[in-house]
């Protein structure tokens, strides 16, 4: 069974930065995309950013220009660098790995942006 372990969440002041990391417990084959989603209280889970096996990236409009997703194919890790954080970025952030046959989710890591 594959486990995705997220790290890097926490409390940060508005305007600050965080780097989220996600590592798989074992090598995953046939990956099509790796990404980060978030869910704020009372809202649906939404895409933050994703990167395909070919290196193409996709960002939510709300984070464009201040967020960068990167991946290490050999290590099956995906990172999310978030800068200029805003209170509306507060949410639980989930790592996702999509393959040809299935999709894996992490347990989530809390990001709170508050002064």
């Amino acid at each position: 069974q594959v486990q995705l372990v997220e790290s890097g969440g926490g409390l940060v002041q508005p305007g600050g930065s965080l780097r989220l990391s996600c590592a798989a417990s074992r090598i995953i084959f046939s990956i099509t995309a790796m990404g980060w989603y978030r869910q704020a209280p009372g809202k649906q889970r939404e895409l933050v950013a994703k990167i395909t096996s070919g290196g193409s990236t996709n960002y939510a409009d709300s984070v464009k220009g201040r967020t960068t997703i990167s991946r290490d194919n050999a290590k099956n890790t995906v990172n999310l660098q978030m800068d200029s954080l805003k209170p509306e970025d507060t949410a639980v952030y989930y790592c996702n790995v999509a393959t040809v046959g299935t999709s894996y989710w992490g347990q989530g890591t809390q990001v709170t942006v508050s002064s």
Side-chain angles (χ1 to χ4, degrees):
Q1 183 74 3
V2 175
Q3 290 185 329
L4 301 181
V5 180
E6 300 120 331
S7 60
L11 173 65
V12 62
Q13 292 187 341
S17 298
L18 278 178
R19 182 179 175 83
L20 304 182
S21 296
C22 174
S25 58
R26 63 169 177 80
I27 296 296
I28 303 173
F29 297 99
S30 303
I31 293 176
T32 56
M34 303 177 77
W36 289 89
Y37 292 71
R38 67 185 181 188
Q39 188 167 17
K43 295 187 177 181
Q44 290 188 332
R45 190 172 297 189
E46 63 177 2
L47 173 70
V48 178
K50 69 177 180 179
I51 182 167
T52 69
S53 57
S56 299
T57 57
N58 184 29
Y59 294 93
D61 288 342
S62 59
V63 303
K64 279 182 182 176
R66 55 191 187 91
T67 299
T68 303
I69 189 169
S70 60
R71 63 181 288 180
D72 184 327
N73 290 331
K75 297 181 179 179
N76 280 176
T77 59
V78 59
N79 303 304
L80 188 71
Q81 177 67 40
M82 299 188 294
D83 301 314
S84 303
L85 283 162
K86 305 175 181 179
E88 50 264 44
D89 293 318
T90 295
V92 178
Y93 284 69
Y94 297 90
C95 175
N96 174 264
V97 174
T99 72
V100 173
T102 192
S103 181
Y104 301 98
W105 290 92
Q107 293 295 315
T109 184
Q110 177 70 46
V111 171
T112 302
V113 184
S114 176
S115 56

